[in-house]
Amino acid sequence: MLRELRRRWRSYKYRFVPWLALNLRRQRRTLRYVPESSQDKIIADEDVFETLLRTFKALFINDLSRQADILALLPEVKCQYLELLSVEQKRSEVKFCNHQGQHAFSPEEVLFNTLGFTVSRDRSSLVSAGTGVFVTRGFVPKGTVVSMYPGTVYRKHEPIFFQSLGNPFIFRCIDGVLIDGNDKGLSRSVYRSCSRRDQLGPFQMSDESWLTATLQNPLAVGQYVNNCSHEKAANVCYQEFDVPGHFPVELKQYLPNIVYSHDMESHLRCVVLVTLRDIKQGEELFSNYYTVVS
């Protein structure tokens, strides 16, 4: 019982203002200082956008046979993807899809072929930390989007009390927006409900696969990245990214976030994790759980 209480305290202590006040001086290297919200960027939003676009397009092409209903409604887009598919087939000299519509590559292999690395969940190298996220293959350069933080997006005024009970997966953005990355219980049900509410015919506005063991978007594991410590310095940090209105509708099925309020006019908020240094194969990702805005 004592061990369980200690584990829970380690998970929750970063959410208590008195603990933060007492530990700011001792834990300086775990803090991320930003002059103001608008400058909280490690890399440009354009770079985040291009990385997501490249990755999602590769996933879409790899799963092209399952996209028939979408492509039937987007003839111009269909021609573009068929051209891209032809180029990729010539480059790799393999077929992406067989007659049964099965994948030629797993999503992890697509990520490696596109960005040069894969990430996955496994037991953390920290004692009693539970699950962590590792670079399982390849090499990740500094300033690279290495993961995404999935979940339901709540504005300041929206109800999240019951979802937050016993939930260590709630991420707070600098402007007060909350992302609930819990893949179990009430949080799981809310996400699925909102995701299916927003579906337009064959067009899915978000990815539900992060709630399962089989990920459609292999980047959607950011909620399991553990906090840094004295022994394990942070090698990634969070960066907020608002999905632009011109984001391709056929690729929204890979976005692991959904808004809680259906009638919200603002852009979808996503949070990506960006590398602070080069990260080699086998290394675990560690982040900063809290930010000081000065």
Side-chain angles (χ1 to χ4, degrees), residues 28-96:
R28 293 184 65 84
R29 75 169 186 169
T30 69
L31 299 177
R32 177 163 54 102
Y33 290 89
V34 292
E36 55 185 71
S37 301
S38 61
Q39 297 182 20
D40 181 32
K41 305 291 181 182
I42 301 301
I43 60 176
D45 281 344
E46 291 77 10
D47 294 334
V48 176
F49 178 82
E50 288 302 321
T51 297
L52 298 184
L53 203 61
R54 283 180 57 203
T55 305
F56 293 176
K57 280 185 175 181
L59 291 168
F60 189 88
I61 293 173
N62 188 61
D63 199 19
L64 202 59
S65 65
R66 195 175 61 86
Q67 312 295 341
D69 291 341
I70 292 177
L71 295 176
L73 298 174
L74 302 171
E76 294 182 0
V77 171
K78 180 178 180 179
C79 293
Q80 296 174 7
Y81 281 109
L82 289 176
E83 290 178 2
L84 289 173
L85 175 61
S86 177
V87 171
E88 291 297 330
Q89 286 178 335
K90 290 178 181 178
R91 182 182 303 170
S92 61
E93 297 182 352
V94 297
K95 292 184 178 181
F96 275 72

Side-chain angles (χ1 to χ4, degrees), residues 31 66 75 101-102 132 148 154-155 253 279 292:
L31 299 177
R66 195 175 61 86
Q102 296 177 342
M148 301 182 71
Y154 294 84
R155 300 294 165 175
Q253 62 183 291
I279 301 178
V292 173

Side-chain angles (χ1 to χ4, degrees), residues 6 25 27 42 49 68 115 143 182 189 206 221 224 230 247:
R6 288 176 178 172
R25 188 175 301 276
Q27 303 282 349
I42 301 301
F49 178 82
L115 300 182
N182 194 356
S189 298
S206 63
V221 293
Y224 285 106
H230 289 294
F247 195 86

